[in-house]
Amino acid sequence: MYKRCQMKKKHTKNRHHNSTKKITSVDVARLAGVSQSTVSRAFGTGNELTEETKKKVLKAAMELKYRPNAIARSLTSQNTNIVGIVMANAKSPFYSKTLDEFTIKLQKLGKQTLLFSVEKGRDIDEILSHVLEYRVDGLVITSATISSEMAEECANIGTPVILFNRYATGTNVSAVCCDNVKGGRDVADYLLDRGYTQLAYIGGNPKSSTNIDRLKGFQERLQERGFSDLLIRNDEYSYESGYRIAKELILEGKKPEVIFCASDIVALGAMDAAKHEFNLKTPEEIAIVGFDDIEMASWPTYSLTTIQQPIEEMTEFAIDLLESKIKKMNTKCELKLFPGKLIKRGSA
Amino acid sequence: MYKRCQMKKKHTKNRHHNSTKKITSVDVARLAGVSQSTVSRAFGTGNELTEETKKKVLKAAMELKYRPNAIARSLTSQNTNIVGIVMANAKSPFYSKTLDEFTIKLQKLGKQTLLFSVEKGRDIDEILSHVLEYRVDGLVITSATISSEMAEECANIGTPVILFNRYATGTNVSAVCCDNVKGGRDVADYLLDRGYTQLAYIGGNPKSSTNIDRLKGFQERLQERGFSDLLIRNDEYSYESGYRIAKELILEGKKPEVIFCASDIVALGAMDAAKHEFNLKTPEEIAIVGFDDIEMASWPTYSLTTIQQPIEEMTEFAIDLLESKIKKMNTKCELKLFPGKLIKRGSA
DNA sequence: AAAGAGAATGAATACGTATTCATATTTTAA
DNA sequence: TTAAAATATGAATACGTATTCATTCTCTTT
């Protein structure tokens, strides 16, 4: 009964569109004169198989252009070899570099990247729900954070989650970050050491942990060294935002000697505003410091002094951590902080 | 026998780690007092179901925090709702923007993006092989092209492929591109109209269709208008490459009046080289034109005259085309060219 | 040489959902 | 009111692979 049905179906298909025939391990088995199990074993690792039969199977597979079905495999093996990555802002230099690093490194481990984009104002939980339907082996969230309910749900179904470049207190979710507080402090020290006294801070998204910590470290250290008046403005992580805020500050007659921007892209905006709106020279008339060390920061036109985030080590670590969680070797909730490095260039 | 085995397994698991129990439609069915089929129908669309039973099922599902398994669904429904995207250079501004557009638009259609990164010098066929194992519904290739064997194989297994921002003659693969020849011609006209006579071209990857066509259009039009000496250099699509080549040109005493660069990122490099290595003013002493219109091109520091690629329309079209191919509504091989738009800014 | 260990293979089945087919129930038509 | 049509649901099975269990065959070991 089954066989007849099967054949009828195939026949219909073939008549309809000659070429579209799906080759399965059963077809290979038939051609090679072995069982389907054997074909499966020939494509796995560490299976007991005679060299001879293996060769026979692979030859048949080649002949039919057989390609194992990863979807079917995932169903039985209970792991997809897919890692979900959730990003907002995937087109910004820092995050696109991060994504690239993740993708390449995962690929080398035989894993694939399922990418999700969170648009501003969209509900991340809804997106996460979709991610989880695909039974990803693990999840990296680089933008936006995760609600505690969703975190718990991930934990329940056994999907490890790692936050990258942000963390969420009280959610029991591991995170890999740059030490933003220390970065802020280092900038404060550097600027005070160079004799600046009129300081400003232009932040990004005021609710993000990155922004909070960078400001916190900066402000804290300034106060420790006796400087308490700091001009603070927040908005969002973008060139336009940096440009606009810097312009406003200067127009309001509050031109500082130096602005510490919460990210390079904001810093570039601020620098351009100073230069093109007021013809101010950097660093003589207004100094700028950024955070991230994106590629553009090193271009001579900007030569931006900044805190470098060690993206490669961070992604490397994040993947290792995720792997160990996937293998259930590590179930602790960790917050790993990487120290940033002050890169001194011309802008301050 | 099966049931006993099943229960034993669950029991073991629960003892080992209390929380990790996979909820399936069978569990939901049991709680709701219906069959598994009914649960399946409750989550599909356009199925005959009483409001009452549907509500009952959804309530049970909610209670158990059930989430349909997309992998299992893919196996039966024969489509994954996953689109594969192959990129090299995913961190460059143009491609990261492209990727973002694709991801967001696909998501809105309920599709997911499986991302593959091709590193320089890596074999793309091997990567494509992996993509195909996941039985993606369709494939977008934005970097590197596709071998004709692989194209044929995709066609055989019924996976539609679309090249984006490149095309391959003789492979019968559809492509969505900017009209690069016309773009090149437009730049030629613009520059000749403004009276430039000493022209240079700095290309990207000399084998890419983008580079070939942009140069072709540019050179063709120059010749049509009687200008035959054009300085041509190719290397790769990067800031560093643009910087280095521009520097070399000038050092060799061949400073042109204007350089047409095959991409914005190359143009920015060239501009910076002129400015920082030789203190040349743009556009007075050396004019620069790019291609793409990435965000940075509009920043006042660069104010780059360039050809704008209509990325949003192009991605939109590419997705529509892919969709219609997935639904087998369109099996033609198309090459869709979008006209670029000359954006006149300060650099030329 | 016989028995037992070990290796190679096949048969059967699980993975979780969608769908077809059959059946029970309700609605419509006559 | 009854036959027929339509609707709602359940039972069974397919999707393609991995794996467990059983079986056959080969090789040691005494």
Side-chain angles (χ1 to χ4, degrees):
Chain A
M1 174 61 175
Y2 165 38
K3 283 219 165 158
R4 214 169 32 217
C5 173
Q6 176 86 314
M7 288 174 68
K8 203 172 80 188
K9 206 163 158 193
K10 277 207 173 168
H11 190 204
T12 320
K13 263 194 189 167
N14 280 343
R15 211 171 31 178
H16 183 66
H17 192 327
N18 194 354
S19 52
T20 306
K21 48 189 163 188
K22 319 259 175 190
I23 303 297
T24 75
S25 58
V26 175
D27 300 313
V28 177
R30 195 175 311 146
L31 178 62
V34 298
S35 72
Q36 181 269 327
S37 323
T38 301
V39 176
S40 173
R41 286 193 262 257
F43 278 85
T45 62
N47 289 316
E48 334 79 2
L49 267 192
T50 311
E51 267 308 304
E52 188 195 8
T53 43
K54 187 163 181 173
K55 213 151 56 177
K56 198 166 56 177
V57 170
L58 293 182
K59 178 163 166 284
M62 186 88 79
E63 208 165 305
L64 294 174
K65 294 188 197 294
Y66 167 72
R67 205 187 305 283
N69 184 329
I71 296 296
R73 194 210 314 272
S74 298
L75 193 57
T76 55
S77 68
Q78 299 286 54
N79 67 309
T80 52
N81 280 336
I82 295 178
V83 171
I85 297 196
V86 179
M87 298 203 124
N89 233 359
K91 64 190 171 201
S92 81
F94 177 76
Y95 283 111
S96 63
K97 162 92 170 156
T98 300
L99 176 59
D100 204 43
E101 289 289 325
F102 270 115
T103 306
I104 288 175
K105 284 176 180 148
L106 286 170
Q107 235 168 249
K108 284 184 179 150
L109 296 172
K111 313 229 173 212
Q112 314 308 142
T113 304
L114 198 60
L115 177 61
F116 293 82
S117 231
V118 185
E119 279 182 289
K120 222 184 297 182
R122 294 277 271 180
D123 185 17
I124 187 181
D125 279 15
E126 191 196 317
I127 288 179
L128 282 185
S129 225
H130 277 293
V131 187
L132 295 179
E133 288 190 5
Y134 280 90
R135 299 301 189 263
V136 293
D137 290 348
L139 194 48
V140 176
I141 299 182
T142 72
S143 296
T145 182
I146 182 175
S147 69
S148 48
E149 300 86 42
M150 196 49 94
E152 197 186 340
E153 211 169 325
C154 289
N156 274 339
I157 62 179
T159 305
V161 178
I162 290 189
L163 298 179
F164 188 89
N165 199 36
R166 63 227 325 107
Y167 60 88
T169 46
T171 51
N172 205 38
V173 178
S174 291
V176 176
C177 285
C178 183
D179 190 338
N180 292 312
V181 174
K182 178 167 175 305
R185 296 178 65 90
D186 288 352
V187 172
D189 273 332
Y190 179 67
L191 294 181
L192 293 185
D193 288 351
R194 314 234 2 176
Y196 292 108
T197 55
Q198 289 169 285
L199 310 156
Y201 174 87
I202 300 181
N205 176 354
K207 284 183 272 182
S208 64
S209 68
T210 46
N211 189 64
I212 292 170
D213 287 353
R214 287 168 195 175
L215 174 56
K216 184 181 162 207
F218 188 55
Q219 202 168 18
E220 234 176 47
R221 187 61 185 146
L222 289 183
Q223 281 170 355
E224 284 174 17
R225 293 182 59 172
F227 289 79
S228 60
D229 68 332
L230 171 65
L231 214 52
I232 300 173
R233 295 286 165 91
N234 285 311
D235 192 353
E236 55 164 40
Y237 285 113
S238 73
Y239 175 89
E240 290 73 20
S241 173
Y243 195 101
R244 187 169 34 70
I245 295 181
K247 185 174 166 185
E248 283 170 13
L249 282 181
I250 299 172
L251 275 182
E252 293 166 13
K254 298 175 183 164
K255 187 190 86 56
E257 288 172 337
V258 58
I259 306 177
F260 173 35
C261 298
S263 89
D264 282 358
I265 208 83
V266 171
L268 300 185
M271 210 188 278
D272 277 357
K275 182 159 143 203
H276 294 280
E277 298 283 338
F278 307 100
N279 206 24
L280 296 175
K281 277 187 188 162
T282 303
E284 297 83 359
E285 298 174 284
I286 190 165
I288 307 274
V289 177
F291 205 113
D292 285 346
D293 195 30
I294 62 180
E295 271 190 28
M296 280 172 274
S298 69
W299 291 1
T301 294
Y302 292 108
S303 184
L304 180 65
T305 293
T306 191
I307 298 283
Q308 178 180 71
Q309 294 205 54
I311 298 191
E312 299 186 11
E313 295 162 48
M314 287 166 69
T315 50
E316 182 84 39
F317 184 89
I319 288 176
D320 286 348
L321 182 58
L322 196 60
E323 280 280 271
S324 70
K325 281 183 187 296
I326 288 172
K327 290 175 186 156
K328 313 274 185 203
M329 322 238 58
N330 174 347
T331 55
K332 282 182 309 195
C333 166
E334 285 185 51
L335 170 56
K336 172 75 176 184
L337 293 183
F338 282 80
K341 183 177 164 194
L342 180 67
I343 306 288
K344 298 172 190 168
R345 295 203 182 92
S347 73
Chain B
M1 174 63 174
Y2 165 38
K3 282 218 165 157
R4 210 160 43 207
C5 171
Q6 176 85 314
M7 288 174 68
K8 202 173 81 188
K9 208 163 155 192
K10 276 206 173 167
H11 190 206
T12 321
K13 263 195 189 166
N14 280 343
R15 212 170 31 176
H16 184 67
H17 192 328
N18 196 354
S19 50
T20 305
K21 48 189 164 190
K22 318 258 175 189
I23 303 297
T24 75
S25 58
V26 175
D27 300 312
V28 176
R30 195 176 309 145
L31 178 61
V34 299
S35 72
Q36 182 270 327
S37 324
T38 300
V39 176
S40 173
R41 286 193 263 256
F43 278 85
T45 61
N47 289 316
E48 336 77 4
L49 266 194
T50 312
E51 267 309 302
E52 189 194 7
T53 44
K54 186 164 182 173
K55 213 151 57 178
K56 200 166 54 177
V57 171
L58 293 182
K59 179 163 164 283
M62 186 89 77
E63 209 165 305
L64 294 175
K65 293 187 197 296
Y66 166 70
R67 205 186 306 282
N69 184 328
I71 297 296
R73 192 209 314 268
S74 299
L75 192 57
T76 56
S77 68
Q78 298 287 56
N79 69 308
T80 53
N81 280 335
I82 294 177
V83 171
I85 297 196
V86 179
M87 299 201 124
N89 232 359
K91 63 191 171 200
S92 82
F94 178 76
Y95 283 111
S96 64
K97 162 94 171 154
T98 299
L99 176 59
D100 204 43
E101 288 289 324
F102 269 115
T103 307
I104 287 175
K105 283 175 181 149
L106 286 170
Q107 234 168 250
K108 283 184 181 152
L109 296 172
K111 313 231 172 209
Q112 314 308 143
T113 305
L114 198 61
L115 177 62
F116 293 82
S117 231
V118 185
E119 280 183 286
K120 222 183 300 182
R122 294 277 270 181
D123 184 18
I124 188 181
D125 280 14
E126 190 197 317
I127 287 179
L128 282 185
S129 225
H130 277 292
V131 186
L132 295 178
E133 288 190 5
Y134 279 91
R135 299 302 191 262
V136 293
D137 291 348
L139 195 48
V140 177
I141 299 182
T142 71
S143 296
T145 183
I146 183 175
S147 70
S148 49
E149 300 87 41
M150 196 49 94
E152 197 187 342
E153 211 169 326
C154 289
N156 274 339
I157 62 179
T159 305
V161 178
I162 290 188
L163 297 179
F164 188 89
N165 199 34
R166 63 229 322 107
Y167 59 89
T169 46
T171 51
N172 205 39
V173 177
S174 291
V176 176
C177 285
C178 183
D179 190 337
N180 292 312
V181 174
K182 178 169 175 302
R185 296 178 65 91
D186 287 352
V187 172
D189 272 332
Y190 179 66
L191 294 181
L192 293 185
D193 288 351
R194 311 230 11 173
Y196 292 107
T197 55
Q198 289 167 286
L199 309 156
Y201 174 88
I202 301 182
N205 175 354
K207 283 183 273 180
S208 64
S209 67
T210 47
N211 190 64
I212 292 170
D213 287 353
R214 288 168 196 175
L215 174 57
K216 183 180 163 209
F218 188 54
Q219 202 168 17
E220 232 175 49
R221 188 59 186 149
L222 289 183
Q223 282 169 355
E224 284 173 19
R225 293 183 59 172
F227 288 79
S228 60
D229 69 332
L230 171 64
L231 213 52
I232 300 173
R233 295 286 165 92
N234 285 310
D235 191 353
E236 55 163 40
Y237 284 113
S238 72
Y239 175 89
E240 289 73 22
S241 172
Y243 195 103
R244 186 169 34 71
I245 294 181
K247 185 175 167 184
E248 284 169 13
L249 282 181
I250 298 172
L251 275 182
E252 292 167 14
K254 299 174 181 164
K255 189 190 84 58
E257 287 171 338
V258 58
I259 306 177
F260 173 34
C261 298
S263 90
D264 283 358
I265 207 82
V266 171
L268 300 185
M271 212 188 277
D272 277 356
K275 182 159 143 202
H276 295 280
E277 299 283 338
F278 307 99
N279 207 25
L280 296 175
K281 277 188 187 161
T282 304
E284 296 84 358
E285 298 175 283
I286 189 164
I288 308 273
V289 176
F291 205 113
D292 285 347
D293 194 31
I294 61 180
E295 271 189 28
M296 280 172 274
S298 69
W299 292 1
T301 294
Y302 291 108
S303 184
L304 180 66
T305 293
T306 189
I307 299 282
Q308 178 179 72
Q309 294 206 53
I311 298 191
E312 300 187 10
E313 295 161 48
M314 287 166 69
T315 51
E316 183 83 39
F317 183 90
I319 289 177
D320 286 349
L321 182 58
L322 196 60
E323 280 281 271
S324 70
K325 282 184 187 294
I326 289 172
K327 291 175 185 157
K328 314 273 186 203
M329 321 239 60
N330 174 347
T331 55
K332 280 182 309 194
C333 167
E334 285 185 49
L335 169 57
K336 171 77 175 184
L337 292 184
F338 282 80
K341 183 178 165 193
L342 180 68
I343 307 288
K344 298 173 191 168
R345 296 204 183 92
S347 73

